[in-house]
Amino acid sequence: MWQDFMVLWGSLLVLICSTVSDRVLKTTQARMSGVLAGLFMYFNGTGFLQDRAQEPEYSWVRVTGAVMLVLAGLGSLNRSRRARAKTRIYPHHNQDTADVLIGRARRALHAFAQGKEDTLDQAVTWGREAVKAARGTSMFPQTTANLVLALRTRYERAHRRQDLDEAIEVGLLLVGDRDCRNEQEYFALLAYVGGALRLRHDHFGDYDDLRQALLLGKASVAPGRTLETYIAVICHEELSATFHSAHLRTGEYSYVDSAIIHLEATAALTERLGRVGRRAVDQAALGRLWCDRSVAQDAPSPAVDALKAITELSSAMRHIPPSHRMFGPVRREYARALRYLAAVQDNMPDVTDALDLAATLRADLVTDLLVQHPERLSTLHLLTDPSQGGTLPHALLDFAADVMERTLTEVDSDDPEYARCLLEQARISAVRETNRAHAVQAAREAADHATADLATRIEGALLHARTAQALGWFPQATRGYEQVITLLPRAASRALRRGDQEHQLARWEGIPSEAAACALAEGRPEQAVQLLEQGRGVLLARALATRGDVAELREAHPQLARRLDELRARETEYENTGLTVAGSTAPATTATPGAALVTISAAGWAGHQKLSGLRQQLAEGWDALLDEIRACSGFQDFAQPPHLGRLKEQAVEGPIVYVNVASFRSDALILLPDQVKHLPLSVTPHDVETQLHVLRRALTPDTGATREAQSAVHDVLEWMWDELAEPVLNAMPDGLRRLWWVPAGQLTQLPLHAAGHHRTHHGQRPRTVLDRVVSSYTPTVGALVAARARPSAEQVRAPLVVAVSSASGHRPLAFARNEAELLRGLYPAARVLTDTQAVAAEVRAALPEALMVHFACHALASDAEPSEGRLLLHDHEASPFTVGDISRLNLHRAELAVLSSCDTARIGPRLQDEVIHLASSFQVAGFAQVVAVLWMVDDEVGHLFAQDFHQRLAKVPLACAAQQVHEAVLRARERAPNFPVHWAGHLHVGR
C-alpha cells in the first residue's frame, strides 16, 4: 500500500507545485524543491528507483499519477509561456531576485532604526532594484510599499525633497491598479503613500496632499475587509498621523479625537503582535496626541490630557534606546508635555469627573520623576496636592529642561531632530524667567541649523526675536524678525496653490509690525521701512515683480524676456484650471472609507500627480529663470523688493506715510525724497481693536441707518484724527495737498483718509484730513513703484462698463443700470455689458482692451479665504469672478478700475498685512489706479458718488482720478454730513 501512497501523493505534489499561484509559492526554489520531492516519491512508488519495477496492486493509481504528471507538465508549459510574455513587458522582472532584495532592504531599514545611519542609502537602492524585479508579479505591491517607506525615511533624515516626491510618485502609480487590490500589501501601500502625502503637506503646506492622504488612509482601513495584523497596524497608525495633521491644519477638535481612536486601535493590535519596540513608538505618538489635545481649542480637561501625555511618553521612553531614531522625538514630546502641564497646573483637576484619573496620573508622574530625580522629593510631592502648588510649575519646567539637556547630548548635531530639540529647549527656557538669555541663544541656533526643516527655522527665528524683544535686546530681536521675513516667501512657495500660500503666511501674522517697532526702538527708521516693505504684501510683491514693466529686459535680453512671458502664461493657464483632488473640498472628505477606494483610478491619481508635479516644475522654473536674469549685468535687482533709494523716489509727488502699531509701541514713518522721518504715536493695539469693534457694530445692516450708529462712526473718525492723523499732518510741510497712506496690521481696516472732527470743516483750519489733503492708499510702496512704471494715460474714450442689477440669491441693485447709462452717455464708444451679457468669460475677454473699467454689481469679501472674495457677475454661481482670478490677469493697457460695489477694499481680520481684496487684485492685474469702497453702502448713495466722480473725470486726464474721488467724497459729505457711512468708505488706491 505504501507504494500506492507514494505514487499518488508524489504526482499530486508535482501537480500542485507546477500550477499553484505565485501568491502561495513566492520563489522558484520552493517550487522546484516541491517538484523534485514529488517526482522522487512517484518514481520510488513505481519501483523505478529500485532494482526492478513492481506492478501496483491497483492499476488506476499509476494511471491517475501519470495523468497528474501530464497536467503538471502542461501547467509548467503554460507558466513558461506566461513568463516569456511577461518578460517582454517587464524585461527585468524576476521574483526570486525581488524576494531576496526586499529582504535586504527591510533589514537595512531596521538597522537604520537601530541607529546605523549608513544603511539608509542601501535600503533605497535595494528597494528600487526590488521594485524593478517584482514588476508584473504578486510581490509588486509589497516591494513598492517598502520603497515608499525607505524613500520617506531618507527624506525625514536628510530633507531632500526629491526623495519625498519620488516616494509619492512611485506609490501613486500603483494606487489605481485594480489588479493589485487582492494583495494585503496593497493596503499597506495605501497607508505609506498617504503618510508621504501627509508629510509633504506638513512640511510644504499643499492642502491637496492632505486631502489625498485622508482619502488613502480611509481606504486602507475600509470596513468589510480582514487585514493581517501587522498591516492593520500600519494602516491605523498612518491614518492617525493624518488626522493629527488635519487637526494642526484646521484646529478642529474632532480630528485629534479621531487620531487618538485610530492610534488606540493600533496599540491594541501591537499588543497582539507582542512587539515591544513598536508598542513604544505607538505610545510615543499617543502621548503627542494627548499633548496636542491639552492645548486644543475648547479642550474640556487640558491638565488631565497633559498628564495622560506624560504617562504614555514616560512608558515609551523606557523602551526606546538612545540609538533608536525615535529617541529624540519622544523625549522632546515628553518635555513639551511637562511644559504644558506647568502652564495648566492651577486647574488640576479641571473637571469634576476627572478627579480619580487625575490623581492616578499625578501619582504615576511623581513616581517617574522621583526615579530620575530623587533629590526633588520636597517639591515633587506637591503634584499630589495641587492646592499647594506654588512651586510646582518651576519643578516641572526644571525637569523638562533637564530632559532636553540630556537629550541634546545623545542626538547627532547634524540630525534635523537636533534643531527641533533646540527649539523645545528654547521654549522651556523662555517660560523660565531666569533662563531667557539661554532661550535666545538656543532659538537662534535652531533657526540657523543647516538641516532643519523650514517651519523649525521660522519658529526658531520668531522665538529668538520675541524673547529678545521681551528682554529689550532690540538689535537681536530685529535680526530674528528679519530672518523670519526672509524665510516667509519660501514658506509660501510658488509650488503651492494660492489658498495654501495664504494659509502658510497666516501662520505667522503680525511679524512686519513687530520687526519695524524693534528697528525703531534701536533708532533705525530706514531699516524699519525696509522691513515693512519686505514683510508686508508678500504675494502682492511676487506677482507685481514679474508682471511689471520688463521693457529694459526685453531690449537687453529679448530671449530671457520671451521665456519670462512664456513661463507666466504657463503658470496662468495652470492656475485657471482650478483642479484639485477629485471628490474632495476639505480634509474631512464626506466619502466613506469603502466609497473612497472606489474613487481611486489610475487615470485620476496619475492626472492629479501630473498637475502637482507641474506646479513644482513651474516653481523651479521661476527660481532658475530669475537667477539667470539676475546674473546679467544691470539686472541684479530684477524682481527684488525696491531698495530704499527707489522707495524715497516715490515721495516726490507727495509724502508716503506708514502707520504702524505694534505690541509695545506705535509710530508713523514719513517717507520723503531725502529722508525717513520718524514720528512716535501713543496708540496701542487694544485702542485700535476697541475702535474697530465700535465701527463694525455701527456698520451692520441692522444698525447702520440709525443716528446713534452714525454718531459712533463720527467718534471713531475723531479718535483717528486725535491719535493718528493730526500728529502726522502737523509734521508735514506747509501747503501739502497730496498724501499716500500705508497702514499696517489692524489699521488697514480704518478709513484714515476720512479721519477728523467733521463738524469743524467750515472753519478756517478744519480738523479733518479731507479738508487738508487729497489722500490715496497703497498696499506697499513697491506696489506704487509698479503702478508708476508706465506712463499715465490721458482721457479715456471707450471704457468697459459691467452692470449686474440682479444676481441670483442677492437683492436687486436698482441703480446698476442707471450707472451703465450714465457712462454710456459720457462715453458713447463704451462697451457696456449688462445683466445676462455680464458673464465672466465676456468680462475676461474684454478687459485686455480696456483702459478704464467700471463695475456696478454686488461684491462679496471672504474673511476666511481672502482670495475667494468676488464680484457677482450674472453667472457668478457657475463661474465665479474671484480675487484670485482677477490677480492672474495680465493687462498691459489698464489704467483705472472703478469698483462701485460694497466691501471692495475691505480687509478681514486674517492676513491683514497681505492686503488681499478686490481693489488690490485689480492692481496686480495691471490697473495703476483703483476706486473702491471699504464697507457696505446704499445702492443710491453709490450711484450718486459714481455720478459725481465720472461727470468730472470725463473732462480731465485719468491722472486726476484721486482728485475727483476726493471731491466726490466732499460733495457726498455735504449731502449727508451726519451719515459718514455714506461717504467715509470711498477711497482711491494707486498712483
Side-chain angles (χ1 to χ4, degrees):
M1 293 295 294
W2 68 269
Q3 291 93 344
D4 296 341
F5 176 85
M6 296 287 282
V7 169
L8 190 61
W9 287 103
S11 57
L12 181 61
L13 181 59
V14 173
L15 178 63
I16 290 173
C17 291
S18 300
T19 59
V20 75
S21 169
D22 285 339
R23 294 183 182 135
V24 179
L25 294 176
K26 293 187 176 180
T27 64
T28 303
Q29 290 95 329
R31 188 181 304 282
M32 290 304 299
S33 298
V35 170
L36 291 173
L39 289 173
F40 176 81
M41 292 172 65
Y42 177 83
F43 288 120
N44 191 47
T46 59
F48 289 148
L49 299 182
Q50 299 176 8
D51 294 339
R52 61 182 183 84
Q54 300 179 5
E55 291 291 334
E57 188 175 344
Y58 301 103
S59 61
W60 68 267
V61 173
R62 176 176 291 189
V63 173
T64 303
V67 169
M68 285 193 286
L69 288 179
V70 170
L71 292 175
L74 292 174
S76 296
L77 289 174
N78 184 53
R79 179 184 302 281
S80 299
R81 181 187 60 80
R82 292 202 310 267
R84 286 193 298 272
K86 192 173 290 183
T87 301
R88 287 194 293 271
I89 301 173
Y90 308 111
H92 301 289
H93 98 286
N94 187 316
Q95 187 160 307
D96 298 332
T97 303
D99 196 36
V100 172
L101 288 171
I102 195 172
R104 291 179 181 175
R106 284 175 171 172
R107 288 191 293 273
L109 273 177
H110 180 73
F112 170 74
Q114 300 302 317
K116 295 182 179 179
E117 296 281 338
D118 57 341
T119 63
L120 191 53
D121 289 338
Q122 293 176 345
V124 171
T125 300
W126 285 329
R128 287 177 178 147
E129 293 176 1
V131 167
K132 186 185 299 184
R135 197 176 300 274
T137 73
S138 60
M139 294 183 64
F140 193 37
Q142 181 181 2
T143 55
T144 304
N146 194 76
L147 176 58
V148 169
L149 179 61
L151 287 165
R152 182 179 123 186
T153 304
R154 189 164 74 173
Y155 165 76
E156 290 175 311
R157 178 63 182 90
H159 280 272
R160 292 194 295 265
R161 175 163 178 165
Q162 57 266 34
D163 284 335
L164 191 58
D165 289 342
E166 182 185 350
I168 293 168
E169 181 179 358
V170 165
L172 287 184
L173 288 174
L174 189 57
V175 161
D177 189 344
R178 295 179 183 274
D179 293 336
C180 295
R181 293 185 184 178
N182 293 324
E183 299 290 343
Q184 287 274 315
E185 289 82 1
Y186 173 77
F187 299 98
L189 173 66
L190 293 183
Y192 283 143
V193 177
L197 285 161
R198 184 261 311 164
L199 190 62
R200 191 165 71 179
H201 160 268
D202 291 349
H203 287 188
F204 301 101
D206 192 331
Y207 206 17
D208 282 348
D209 283 341
L210 183 58
R211 294 187 181 108
Q212 288 188 75
L214 273 171
L215 192 64
L216 290 173
K218 289 183 176 183
S220 71
V221 297
R225 180 187 309 109
T226 302
L227 295 176
E228 294 183 28
T229 304
Y230 81 96
I231 290 178
V233 167
I234 293 169
C235 295
H236 283 285
E237 193 174 60
E238 293 292 355
L239 183 55
S240 173
T242 304
F243 273 123
H244 185 211
S245 291
H247 161 70
L248 296 177
R249 172 79 185 227
T250 65
E252 292 186 22
Y253 185 74
S254 60
Y255 284 126
V256 72
D257 277 350
S258 296
I260 289 172
I261 289 170
H262 281 281
L263 200 56
E264 287 177 339
T266 303
L269 292 167
T270 307
E271 288 283 1
R272 191 185 309 168
L273 289 174
R275 296 168 61 186
V276 176
R278 186 72 254 171
R279 170 65 176 146
V281 172
D282 291 338
Q283 287 179 316
L286 192 57
R288 183 186 180 195
L289 290 173
W290 283 116
C291 198
D292 283 346
R293 192 178 190 268
S294 71
V295 293
Q297 189 174 6
D298 301 325
S301 51
V304 172
D305 288 345
L307 284 164
K308 286 182 178 179
I310 291 171
T311 300
E312 295 288 348
L313 289 162
S314 61
S315 178
M317 287 186 348
R318 296 188 187 100
H319 300 101
I320 294 180
S323 60
H324 196 280
R325 65 183 178 87
M326 291 297 296
F327 176 81
V330 170
R331 278 153 178 75
R332 171 168 52 83
E333 291 298 330
Y334 185 74
R336 182 168 73 112
L338 289 168
R339 176 165 58 88
Y340 286 172
L341 183 60
V344 299
Q345 61 85 28
D346 289 337
N347 296 322
M348 290 196 305
D350 48 8
V351 286
T352 304
D353 59 359
L355 282 170
D356 294 339
L357 177 60
T360 302
L361 293 172
R362 284 199 302 272
D364 291 342
L365 175 60
V366 169
T367 301
D368 188 68
L369 293 178
L370 290 179
V371 169
Q372 302 288 340
H373 293 275
E375 74 279 4
R376 292 186 179 169
L377 176 62
S378 60
T379 54
L380 296 181
H381 82 277
L382 294 173
L383 271 171
T384 60
D385 187 7
S387 62
Q388 304 179 28
T391 60
L392 177 58
H394 299 291
L396 291 171
L397 291 172
D398 288 347
F399 182 58
D402 289 344
V403 169
M404 290 316 304
E405 185 175 347
R406 284 180 293 166
T407 302
L408 284 167
T409 63
E410 299 286 348
V411 177
D412 187 349
S413 61
D414 293 332
D415 193 322
E417 180 58 32
Y418 189 83
R420 300 185 195 108
C421 290
L422 278 173
L423 181 57
E424 181 57 38
Q425 185 183 51
R427 286 170 173 155
I428 295 168
S429 297
V431 178
R432 301 165 78 198
E433 295 181 359
T434 58
N435 294 76
R436 288 185 177 179
H438 180 265
V440 173
Q441 178 62 29
R444 179 174 177 176
E445 289 180 23
D448 293 337
H449 196 275
T451 65
D453 59 87
L454 187 59
T456 299
R457 293 191 63 197
I458 293 176
E459 289 291 346
L462 187 56
L463 183 60
H464 169 211
R466 286 175 173 168
T467 310
Q469 176 180 321
L471 291 170
W473 299 354
F474 294 114
Q476 289 201 47
T478 305
R479 178 192 180 279
Y481 282 126
E482 188 173 19
Q483 187 173 8
V484 175
I485 289 172
T486 302
L487 293 172
L488 281 181
R490 288 178 54 191
S493 165
R494 285 181 183 269
L496 299 176
R497 293 183 184 278
R498 176 61 180 255
D500 293 329
Q501 293 177 26
E502 291 176 9
H503 173 79
Q504 289 291 87
L505 292 172
R507 294 172 63 185
W508 297 288
E509 286 193 272
I511 302 302
S513 291
E514 297 297 324
C518 289
L520 289 169
E522 59 171 314
R524 303 180 65 179
E526 293 190 342
Q527 186 182 16
V529 166
Q530 291 176 305
L531 289 171
L532 285 171
E533 278 297 304
Q534 189 178 357
R536 298 179 68 254
V538 172
L539 302 181
L540 177 75
R542 177 183 293 164
L544 290 174
T546 55
R547 295 187 187 191
D549 186 7
V550 294
E552 292 183 12
L553 180 65
R554 210 176 299 280
E555 182 177 346
H557 304 282
Q559 186 176 3
L560 290 176
R562 185 168 57 255
R563 287 170 55 194
L564 187 73
D565 292 338
E566 291 172 353
L567 190 57
R568 187 189 301 117
R570 286 177 58 204
E571 184 177 58
T572 301
E573 180 182 5
Y574 165 77
E575 292 293 344
N576 285 338
T577 62
L579 293 175
T580 185
V581 56
S584 181
T585 57
T589 175
T590 56
T592 63
L597 188 56
V598 176
T599 67
I600 299 174
S601 67
W605 286 103
H608 177 76
Q609 185 63 13
K610 182 179 179 181
L611 288 171
S612 300
L614 175 59
R615 193 161 63 230
Q616 180 66 25
Q617 289 173 17
L618 288 170
E620 294 171 354
W622 274 114
D623 292 340
L625 181 57
L626 291 177
D627 287 343
E628 192 173 344
I629 292 173
R630 289 167 187 160
C632 298
S633 177
F635 291 90
Q636 291 81 359
D637 296 327
F638 184 82
Q640 297 275 29
H643 55 76
L644 186 62
R646 187 77 183 276
L647 297 176
K648 289 179 180 178
E649 290 173 4
Q650 307 310 308
V652 171
E653 298 183 27
I656 301 169
V657 181
Y658 296 89
V659 189
N660 186 59
V661 177
S663 60
F664 68 103
R665 64 179 296 147
S666 56
D667 306 89
L669 290 164
I670 304 171
L671 196 63
L672 300 169
D674 58 345
Q675 64 172 316
V676 176
K677 193 171 184 178
H678 172 218
L679 181 67
L681 301 173
S682 58
V683 180
T684 67
H686 179 265
D687 296 336
V688 178
E689 182 57 42
T690 300
Q691 298 302 317
L692 282 172
H693 180 68
V694 172
L695 194 60
R696 292 188 195 108
R697 290 189 59 188
L699 294 175
T700 59
D702 296 335
T703 61
T706 65
R707 287 189 175 274
E708 292 78 6
Q710 295 308 303
S711 177
V713 176
H714 269 298
D715 291 342
V716 174
L717 299 181
E718 291 172 1
W719 173 85
M720 284 194 296
W721 171 263
D722 295 338
E723 300 294 338
L724 302 171
E726 185 178 34
V728 168
L729 294 183
N730 287 343
M732 296 294 183
D734 293 335
L736 176 70
R737 291 300 301 163
R738 192 81 167 88
L739 184 69
W740 277 263
W741 296 99
V742 190
Q746 291 180 309
L747 296 175
T748 56
Q749 303 176 61
L750 291 173
L752 295 175
H753 67 287
H757 295 260
H758 290 275
R759 298 177 183 86
T760 70
H761 74 275
H762 289 301
Q764 290 185 346
R765 189 170 176 79
R767 299 177 63 205
T768 73
V769 175
L770 283 173
D771 295 292
R772 299 273 289 271
V773 294
V774 175
S775 292
S776 291
Y777 290 85
T778 183
T780 63
V781 181
L784 197 58
V785 172
R788 292 172 174 173
R790 290 175 293 184
S792 178
E794 295 301 317
Q795 287 180 299
V796 64
R797 302 296 180 193
L800 172 64
V801 182
V802 182
V804 182
S805 59
S806 181
S808 175
H810 297 268
R811 62 181 175 82
L813 295 174
F815 290 89
R817 282 184 172 272
N818 295 25
E819 289 185 33
E821 293 305 316
L822 166 70
L823 275 94
R824 196 195 301 271
L826 292 172
Y827 306 99
R831 181 176 181 184
V832 180
L833 301 174
T834 58
D835 293 327
T836 56
Q837 300 172 318
V839 295
E842 287 293 327
V843 172
R844 290 191 187 97
L847 277 170
E849 301 303 320
L851 192 64
M852 181 178 82
V853 62
H854 178 98
F855 285 92
C857 59
H858 279 297
L860 291 179
S862 173
D863 290 345
E865 299 289 340
S867 286
E868 292 301 312
R870 61 196 63 197
L871 291 170
L872 301 187
L873 302 181
H874 179 72
D875 60 341
H876 69 93
E877 293 176 327
S879 183
F881 195 50
T882 67
V883 167
D885 295 327
I886 298 164
S887 298
R888 289 192 287 272
L889 299 172
N890 189 21
L891 309 174
H892 299 287
R893 300 185 69 249
E895 174 64 27
L896 174 64
V898 181
L899 309 180
S900 186
S901 307
C902 303
D903 295 329
T904 47
R906 183 169 76 80
I907 298 176
R910 186 170 179 265
L911 286 167
Q912 295 171 114
D913 281 324
E914 282 304 296
V915 200
I916 301 173
H917 49 48
L918 284 161
S920 64
S921 71
F922 277 93
Q923 277 192 297
V924 173
F927 285 92
Q929 303 179 80
V930 183
V931 179
V933 188
L934 268 174
W935 50 63
M936 185 179 294
V937 296
D938 181 78
D939 186 19
E940 183 178 3
V941 170
H943 170 63
L944 290 174
F945 176 87
Q947 181 175 291
D948 282 344
F949 172 74
H950 281 296
Q951 284 178 343
R952 287 162 178 79
L953 183 68
K955 304 172 184 177
V956 297
L958 289 180
C960 301
Q963 180 69 36
Q964 302 313 312
V965 171
H966 179 77
E967 293 182 8
V969 170
L970 291 176
R971 285 188 288 274
R973 187 180 65 177
E974 289 297 322
R975 288 193 295 269
N978 296 322
F979 279 78
V981 67
H982 292 337
W983 44 266
H986 294 276
L987 52 84
H988 175 269
V989 181
R991 67 181 178 190

